[in-house]
Each structure stands twice: as structure tokens, then as C-alpha cells.
Amino acid sequence: MSEVDLHLHTTFSDGTLTPTKLVKLCVDRGLKIIAITDHDSTEGIEESLSAADKYGKINIIVGIELSTDVVDGEIHLLGYYVDHRSHTLQNKLRKFRDGRTERGSRMVEKLNGLSINISWDRVKEIAAGGAIGRPHIAQAMVESGYIEYPRDAFDRYIGRNGPAYVERIKLSPTEAVQTLCENGALPVMAHPIYSMANTGPEAVKKLNRTLSELKEAGLVGMEVYYGAYNPEDIKLLATTARKLGLIPCGGSDYHGSGNPDEPEPGSIGPPTESVEHLLSLRKCPPSSC
Ligand code: AMP
Ligand code: ZN
Ligand code: FE
Ligand code: FE
């Protein structure tokens, strides 16, 4: 168990716990510092801060997760201490969420074409106003009995190479880093191994190149301690972070999604020094983030 978890999702994107329930769970599990990092949304932040006030003994880092498609995979960027009150940021996030809605409806159409008869209305109902993501579609498929677990939907239909996959709004990893920087956030690459097509030496070299390029654009850290990683992955990524001068971050990426073996909040996380390092680089005034 770690006292720090810098990667958590709520019902404001594709998590299944409200911010209040998530914060309560984290307090109960002994966490001291958590970051709320919903996809393309900071709508859950105020509720998280109120819940932290109510339950006490836990610090919330205001965060976000932006996703980008690249030629051979996806790169996700976390942004810590983002200025969630910025209108420019909120306008951008609304655009990304609208893109998610459009993309979601197109994936449902493709599924319907494959005789997977889930309804778009039901998917929207499951998302309940949060940023729509593939896990909401996967949930609708579980409910209708097409698959057993949400992850089966990714393996068979809506994973990157699946027959019902649709790409997201065009955004490059560098643009995502720049958007985060422009809005006071400290950009950190999420789950770097998930971003690699495979894990051979070539992939590691390529990851190093990408990280160096993104560092030029403002990247300050990378996830090393991640829910799904084994000790070897962590060792490799810790070395990479040290060599490149990036802060080793991480967390469970908890969604409460119903997949077997999902890491619980705090099951993994970075050392407190990483948060201290992030804090020392924090750009926006405390009143705004
Ligand atoms: P989206 O944001 O719509 O592209 O969906 C990405 C989200 O789907 C991730 O943040 C995870 O929550 C979830 N996800 C991605 N890959 C898988 C997988 N193989 N199995 C289960 N969930 C996944
Ligand atoms: Zn997610
Ligand atoms: Fe992610
Ligand atoms: Fe995530």
C-alpha cells in the first residue's frame, strides 16, 4: 500500500464512484495524497475538495488526463495542479468531451452493424453526464450479455485494432503537453508501457525518444508506479525516469470498472518525495488550483 495515489477516475469520466465516494474510499484505505484525474474533465474537482474537507486527513491534487492517438498506440498525459477555473481550459475540455460523444455514438453504430444491439441512449445513461468513454460502451455490452467483463469489449471490438473502434479528436502528445502547460499544469506521461506497441529494446528506445521530445515541450514526469505493472516494468521505468530527469509518478488508475484484478486506490503509488518535487515546480497560485 502507498499513501499516495496520483491517478484516479470518478463518475465525471469513466469511473464508477462519485468523487465523494472515491475520496471516502481513499480515506478509509489510509491514503494521504490523491490526484483526481478524470478524462477531459475537471467537473469532479469541487466535489472532491468538499469531500476531503468533510472527511479530513487527505490532500487532493487537482488533475486531469488527456488522451492522444499516435501511429502505433495511444499516449495519455496527466496534468497536475491544472488551473481548473481557466475559461480557456474549460472551452477546450468541452470540445474534447463533445468529440468523445460523437466518437462514442459512432462506435455504437459500428457495433450495431456487427449485430451487437446496444443502444446509444443506454450508453449515455451509464455515462450519466460524465465524459463518455469506451468503458461506458463496454458496460452496456456487459449488461446486455454480449460479454462477461468490460475488458472483453476492448479485446474483441473497441480496442485500437477492433472492428468497432473509432479514433478520437486529433491531438498530438506535444499539443496535449502544451495545453497542460498553458493552463498551469505539470504534465506527466501516464502508463508509458501501455503506450508502447511492444516491449522490446526498439520500443524502449522509441519511448526514450518520445519522452525526451515531450520533455522539451514541458513534460516534468512519467508514471513509474502503475496499477498494472510488475516489478520489472517498474525497475525499467524508474531507470528511464532517473536518466531523463523526469519525476517518477504513478497510481492505481482506479476506475471501479468491474474487471477482474483491478488495482484498488493506493495499491500502488509513488514516494512522497515525488509529490514534494511536483509541488516545488507548481506554477499557479494556490488560490487557483
Ligand atoms: P477512451 O477514453 O474512450 O479511449 O477509453 C479509454 C479507457 O478505457 C481507459 O482510460 C481505460 O479506462 C479503459 N481501457 C482501455 N483499455 C482497456 C482494456 N484493454 N480493458 C479494459 N479497459 C480498458
Ligand atoms: Zn479511463
Ligand atoms: Fe490512461
Ligand atoms: Fe486513467
Side-chain angles (χ1 to χ4, degrees):
M1 266 298 286
S2 167
E3 291 192 336
V4 183
D5 190 327
L6 303 182
H7 194 157
L8 298 160
H9 293 273
T10 80
T11 43
F12 284 89
S13 64
D14 53 5
T16 58
L17 296 188
T18 61
T20 305
K21 286 196 175 137
L22 178 65
V23 170
K24 172 81 168 57
L25 175 64
C26 290
V27 170
D28 290 347
R29 288 178 60 83
L31 281 154
K32 300 284 186 274
I33 305 169
I34 60 170
I36 304 295
T37 55
D38 275 315
H39 300 284
D40 298 337
S41 174
T42 58
E43 306 258 305
I45 295 299
E46 294 299 336
E47 186 184 323
S48 306
L49 295 172
S50 305
D53 273 350
K54 183 164 148 203
Y55 300 121
K57 300 185 289 220
I58 193 159
N59 282 311
I60 309 278
I61 295 177
V62 177
I64 186 129
E65 182 171 11
L66 302 180
S67 312
T68 68
D69 286 332
V70 287
V71 181
D72 51 356
E74 292 179 35
I75 293 183
H76 296 188
L77 278 317
L78 297 160
Y80 297 124
Y81 306 110
V82 67
D83 180 4
H84 67 296
R85 298 196 176 112
S86 147
H87 292 295
T88 345
L89 174 75
Q90 292 306 337
N91 286 339
K92 235 178 196 159
L93 295 183
R94 254 189 300 276
K95 203 180 89 193
F96 293 157
R97 291 200 295 272
D98 288 348
R100 283 179 165 275
T101 305
E102 159 74 17
R103 170 180 180 245
S105 72
R106 286 177 51 210
M107 282 192 272
V108 169
E109 271 170 27
K110 281 192 164 187
L111 285 166
N112 292 163
L114 295 165
S115 303
I116 306 286
N117 294 315
I118 55 163
S119 85
W120 173 233
D121 280 348
R122 181 60 196 142
V123 172
K124 283 191 290 184
E125 221 169 80
I126 293 170
I132 292 188
R134 284 178 284 169
H136 298 124
I137 297 174
Q139 191 51 45
M141 290 172 69
V142 171
E143 276 181 14
S144 302
Y146 288 106
I147 49 173
E148 187 174 5
Y149 297 113
R151 69 171 182 209
D152 303 334
F154 288 81
D155 292 343
R156 288 160 53 190
Y157 300 101
I158 53 177
R160 208 186 148 74
N161 299 313
Y165 180 74
V166 174
E167 287 222 325
R168 70 184 83 246
I169 275 189
K170 289 269 168 276
L171 179 75
S172 73
T174 306
E175 284 166 343
V177 166
Q178 284 162 351
T179 297
L180 293 171
C181 289
E182 282 159 16
N183 291 285
L186 299 174
V188 168
M189 190 194 276
H191 40 69
I193 291 180
Y194 168 107
S195 312
M196 296 196 253
N198 52 55
T199 49
E202 275 312 307
V204 173
K205 255 194 229 158
K206 185 160 180 228
L207 174 67
N208 276 279
R209 269 201 308 275
T210 306
L211 285 165
S212 303
E213 276 165 31
L214 294 180
K215 193 178 176 206
E216 292 279 305
L219 191 79
V220 305
M222 60 186 273
E223 283 195 318
V224 165
Y225 307 92
Y226 184 68
Y229 291 170
N230 60 42
E232 252 105 87
D233 297 332
I234 293 177
K235 211 167 133 195
L236 168 78
L237 294 172
T239 309
T240 306
R242 205 170 37 248
K243 276 192 192 148
L244 296 177
L246 290 166
I247 305 171
C249 297
S252 61
D253 202 1
Y254 178 76
H255 285 75
S257 61
N259 283 312
D261 307 325
E262 181 175 3
E264 295 285 321
S267 53
I268 192 156
T272 318
E273 295 86 73
S274 293
V275 178
E276 284 160 8
H277 199 161
L278 286 172
L279 260 174
S280 73
L281 300 178
R282 182 180 169 171
K283 286 169 271 186
C284 51
S287 63
S288 68
C289 52

